[in-house]
Amino acid sequence: MRAPNKNTPEMMATNPDKSVLPTSRRKRADALRILAMDAVQQARSGHPGMPMGMADMAEVLWNDFLKHNPANPCWPDRDRFVLSNGHGSMLLYGLLHLSGYPLSIDDLRNFRQFGMKTAGHPEYSPDIGIETTTGPLGQGITNAVGMALAEKTLAAEFNRPGHEIVDHHTYVFLGDGCLMEGISHEACSLAGTLKLGKLICLYDDNGISIDGEVEGWFTDDTPERFRAYGWHVIAAVDGHDPAAIHAAIAEARENADQPSLICCKTIIGFGAPNKQGTEATHGAPLGDDEIAAAREWLGWDEPPFVIPEVISEAWNQAETGQAAERQWNECMAGYAADYPQLAVEFERRINSELPADWASAADAAIAAIAEAGESVATRKASLNALNAFAPSLPELLGGSADLTGSNLTSHSGSSVISADDASGNYISYGVREFGMATIMNGLALHGGFIPYGGTFLTFSDYSRNALRMSALMGIRTIHVFTHDSIGLGEDGPTHQPVEQTASLQLIPNMRVWRPCDAVETAVAWRDAIETSTGPTSLILTRQGLAHQPRTDEQLASIRRGAYVLCDAENPDLILIATGSEVALAVTAATALAEAGCRVRVVSMPCIAAFLAQDEAYRESVLPAAIDRRIAIEAGVTGLWYRFVGSAGQVIGLDRFGESAPAGELFRHFGFTTENIVAQALRLLEKG
């Protein structure tokens, strides 16, 4: 059991003895404290306690160890710094400003204000040194696991003897909240298994959260927990002693075989004499009186947002950063001389550029799949697409949450990454859906990879917040969600997704593809690979689906999200469908034609792509004059009324499924040609 954590002013020095520390070191840390409390006070909201408590740790890490160049925040071999406890964002903003990144004092003065770079929680901004969006606790550390894994895998692929062009660390600040979130278990367990030795985490063990002293609800023996994961743990470090912090980080850096957790005992709100050590400093401004007392306690005489020049100069890291990058550039030049092809490939990958021949290779692969006309489950079609595309894309880094044989995410060239051999391109994530999605975010953020991962669609719920974060950051991750409906069958309603596709559609900047056959699946994969500004969810079937014949024009139109698959002259009814229901719409249209009805069938595999088209194209597919419309999808119906309007209807499923064979379930819930025909005839009669 975790020992009680009484990190109070009485436990540690009531006032820092400045005689035992270099003035510049203490003052550098105090500059972070002052900026944090002043910015929060100015905004009348924020979290001053964590920045004030972790300032000494930050000062040591950033000035003694962190390899970075403020003049080039995106330098490929920089160390990554992740503030997992993102509510303490002013710590990061203070570090970036003082170190010389393009973050001005006015940005800090306007903390949490509209349109400024200094949002309430850090938002991914690589141009100013913010490596990832954090705030939802636990996701920062998990992103960092992905970053450290990317470093290890890129190093295994590109480094050569005497040419270590990939050689950097990932550092994380995290607190009790991150460790209470279950996601930290998923990610840290895998990090230990994969021996991510360049991942170093500094834990702010201050014993306080919003509700007060955490010993009432968090008594884990955290050091032993992480030792059980296979981590290197350095316990009971005084988080206000720079020498102890320095020694701990140096020790962690020496261990290349284990990720490290440095447990730092700190006082939340350190420097605020009447509130430090209590929850009063966690999530509210200190107030004018306490800030005045803190200035006196710290011996800080400057007014708000004024940093003495001597301290600013002590913080500025332009010269050391440029020297570090110059050294790497020299290393890279030698590498390019000895391994020119590898150097060109590394540059392409790290710059997120697709191969020069990618477009022609993708065209050829899709044409071949269309020519084959194979009728298969779209999960199998997804594997076929991977087998076709992967040889051209070594940056594809796949995986599955212990469902590889069901998701079919391991292509013919897949090789599993292990602790002792990181040169592969496939990750066995284990039953860690949330962890997988957040690690994928970290892989994408690091650069050099296009990560994809698979699980059942119903388990996208476990991954939900990570999916939202990838969309918010606008990063390319590809989620392979199989077993997409009641077509799953006998496993029953716990595993049969009915609301998940619609819920994914609600995430801004998330492209959701539900293809109807092998051809649409290949096009969906291509679109996902080429969409670098956000994530994609591929919604795939377990059951086999019929191939749909197309003209060249129809094939080209798939990328537009919706297109006319079957048509009649002057149609008076439109059937709109996705996925497994497209074939039903086609057979229903044939039956309706025999009954004298003129029917257009629209396949709409990607709503987001369709809505991004110009008005003329949207009108050509769904003319406003044809208001008799039926949308068909084996899921909840609400989203589809946008396309069918008040005169149309939706054949869907606004309830949970049942446990039975798939065919029986489709008949029971009305996903049959006969029911669609009957509903269409009734709708036309109303007209």
Side-chain angles (χ1 to χ4, degrees):
M1 180 177 290
R2 170 179 173 165
N5 185 5
K6 294 289 187 180
N7 295 2
T8 64
E10 291 73 28
M11 181 196 82
M12 306 174 82
T14 304
N15 200 341
D17 182 357
K18 297 178 180 62
S19 65
V20 302
L21 292 172
T23 300
S24 60
R25 171 141 273 175
R26 172 62 72 189
K27 285 296 185 181
R28 283 199 299 253
D30 286 346
L32 292 171
R33 294 185 172 97
I34 294 293
L35 285 173
M37 69 182 190
D38 284 346
V40 170
Q41 185 68 20
Q42 174 103 341
R44 296 291 188 264
S45 70
H47 299 76
M50 184 280 267
M52 297 176 74
M54 297 191 80
D56 296 302
M57 298 154 64
E59 189 278 326
V60 172
L61 174 63
W62 278 61
N63 286 295
D64 295 1
F65 295 100
L66 195 71
K67 182 176 69 172
H68 64 122
N69 182 8
N72 184 10
C74 296
W75 166 38
D77 202 44
R78 69 193 181 278
D79 289 338
R80 271 61 170 180
F81 176 75
V82 175
L83 190 76
S84 191
N85 42 355
H87 54 272
S89 57
M90 264 310 303
L91 178 64
L92 179 56
Y93 301 146
L95 285 164
L96 294 172
H97 168 71
L98 292 169
S99 297
Y101 285 82
L103 198 68
S104 70
I105 198 68
D106 282 340
D107 290 318
L108 271 59
R109 195 188 305 273
N110 288 283
F111 176 54
R112 291 187 161 219
Q113 302 309 301
F114 181 77
M116 304 305 295
K117 299 175 183 178
T118 46
H121 292 82
E123 296 181 7
Y124 175 52
S125 303
D127 57 324
I128 61 171
I130 302 177
E131 302 282 2
T132 182
T133 299
T134 56
L137 294 175
Q139 287 204 58
I141 170 59
T142 317
N143 291 168
V145 170
M147 294 174 186
L149 180 56
E151 192 276 343
K152 183 171 183 175
T153 303
L154 274 179
E157 183 175 354
F158 285 100
N159 285 355
R160 294 294 182 270
H163 297 285
E164 294 190 350
I165 61 167
V166 182
D167 183 17
H168 53 267
H169 287 78
T170 302
Y171 295 99
V172 184
F173 277 10
L174 72 161
D176 288 310
C178 292
L179 295 180
M180 282 186 262
E181 289 285 0
I183 185 63
S184 69
H185 165 73
E186 294 185 30
C188 295
S189 170
L190 187 60
T193 298
L194 294 177
K195 298 182 180 179
L196 302 182
K198 290 184 177 177
L199 174 63
I200 298 175
C201 300
L202 286 86
Y203 165 34
D204 182 28
D205 185 10
N206 62 37
I208 297 293
S209 67
I210 293 175
D211 283 352
E213 295 185 7
V214 301
E215 61 192 61
W217 50 86
F218 183 52
T219 57
D220 301 17
D221 189 331
T222 297
E224 286 306 310
R225 170 188 163 189
F226 275 76
R227 290 188 182 106
Y229 292 153
W231 284 52
H232 170 218
V233 177
I234 305 171
V237 174
D238 183 345
H240 301 295
D241 180 350
I245 298 164
H246 181 102
I249 297 173
E251 179 184 335
R253 286 168 55 91
E254 289 297 315
N255 191 332
D257 295 325
Q258 294 174 290
S260 293
L261 180 72
I262 302 171
C263 302
C264 295
K265 294 283 187 178
T266 62
I267 299 173
I268 191 172
F270 186 86
N274 303 303
K275 294 186 176 182
Q276 61 185 350
T278 73
E279 65 271 21
T281 67
H282 176 88
L286 296 178
D288 293 334
D289 291 343
E290 186 67 6
I291 285 177
R295 273 183 157 75
E296 181 179 357
W297 197 85
L298 294 170
W300 190 275
D301 299 326
E302 305 296 333
F305 301 105
V306 174
I307 305 297
E309 185 175 353
V310 64
I311 297 177
S312 294
E313 290 176 354
W315 261 109
N316 191 291
Q317 299 186 14
E319 184 176 339
T320 56
Q322 290 168 10
E325 185 173 357
R326 277 197 304 271
Q327 183 178 359
W328 181 79
N329 287 336
E330 292 170 3
C331 178
M332 191 67 197
Y335 180 80
D338 290 350
Y339 303 98
Q341 291 182 330
L342 278 176
V344 170
E345 177 66 5
F346 177 78
E347 292 284 354
R348 179 189 73 79
R349 294 266 299 272
I350 210 69
N351 290 326
S352 299
E353 298 171 354
L354 294 174
D357 63 349
W358 161 251
S360 59
D363 285 341
I366 292 171
I369 290 170
E371 178 70 20
E374 189 177 6
S375 294
V376 293
T378 50
R379 63 168 176 164
K380 178 62 164 63
S382 171
L383 177 58
N384 292 344
L386 275 171
N387 283 328
F389 293 152
S392 300
L393 293 169
E395 57 263 51
L396 281 177
L397 183 55
S400 175
D402 202 47
L403 287 168
T404 295
S406 294
N407 301 147
L408 303 183
T409 41
S410 178
H411 58 78
S412 57
S414 292
S415 173
V416 175
I417 292 169
S418 68
D420 300 320
D421 184 2
S423 63
N425 58 5
Y426 194 84
I427 304 165
S428 296
Y429 284 103
V431 187
R432 299 180 176 99
E433 294 88 358
F434 192 6
M436 176 178 68
T438 51
I439 289 170
M440 286 168 59
N441 288 349
L443 290 165
L445 289 162
H446 179 279
F449 296 103
I450 299 176
Y452 69 91
T455 188
F456 288 173
L457 176 57
T458 193
F459 300 142
S460 65
D461 289 341
Y462 285 140
S463 309
R464 177 77 181 193
N465 201 254
L467 299 174
R468 182 176 186 270
M469 294 293 281
S470 62
L472 180 64
M473 289 188 280
I475 57 176
R476 176 170 44 196
T477 56
I478 303 173
H479 300 271
V480 181
F481 293 126
T482 68
H483 297 61
D484 73 339
S485 70
I486 55 172
L488 172 61
E490 292 87 345
D491 277 342
T494 61
H495 283 51
Q496 292 168 4
V498 293
E499 77 275 24
Q500 279 76 13
T501 299
S503 71
L504 292 170
Q505 303 273 18
L506 294 174
I507 300 175
N509 202 36
M510 169 71 75
R511 288 172 86 86
V512 179
W513 282 86
R514 188 167 183 251
C516 76
D517 67 357
V519 178
E520 285 191 357
T521 303
V523 172
W525 259 107
R526 179 179 185 173
D527 184 79
I529 289 165
E530 294 180 359
T531 300
S532 61
T533 55
T536 298
S537 292
L538 303 177
I539 313 299
L540 307 172
T541 66
R542 177 196 188 198
Q543 70 275 22
L545 300 182
H547 168 72
Q548 300 297 326
R550 297 173 182 84
T551 65
D552 290 343
E553 182 181 359
Q554 288 172 318
L555 180 60
S557 295
I558 295 173
R559 282 291 295 272
R560 307 185 81 165
Y563 62 101
V564 178
L565 181 62
C566 302
D567 211 359
E569 186 175 356
N570 298 318
D572 46 25
L573 173 71
I574 300 176
L575 298 179
I576 309 168
T578 72
S580 52
E581 288 69 70
V582 169
L584 280 173
V586 171
T587 58
T590 300
L592 285 163
E594 293 173 356
C597 300
R598 300 185 303 275
V599 180
R600 167 177 289 187
V601 176
V602 171
S603 177
M604 191 179 285
C606 184
I607 291 173
F610 179 63
L611 293 177
Q613 303 304 308
D614 59 63
E615 184 178 354
Y617 179 77
R618 297 197 306 271
E619 172 67 15
S620 73
V621 175
L622 296 175
I626 308 175
D627 62 354
R628 294 298 182 262
R629 304 175 183 180
I630 298 177
I632 311 159
E633 186 175 59
V636 294
T637 61
L639 183 69
W640 290 106
Y641 286 101
R642 176 174 189 170
F643 298 100
V644 301
S646 59
Q649 76 179 77
V650 181
I651 297 174
L653 193 66
D654 288 317
R655 53 152 292 180
F656 297 112
E658 299 283 352
S659 180
E664 184 176 341
L665 290 174
F666 277 113
R667 287 191 296 274
H668 175 72
F669 289 113
F671 295 100
T672 64
T673 300
E674 294 76 15
N675 183 52
I676 296 170
V677 168
Q679 298 293 338
L681 290 174
R682 278 197 287 271
L683 187 62
L684 289 170
E685 287 172 4
K686 290 181 182 178

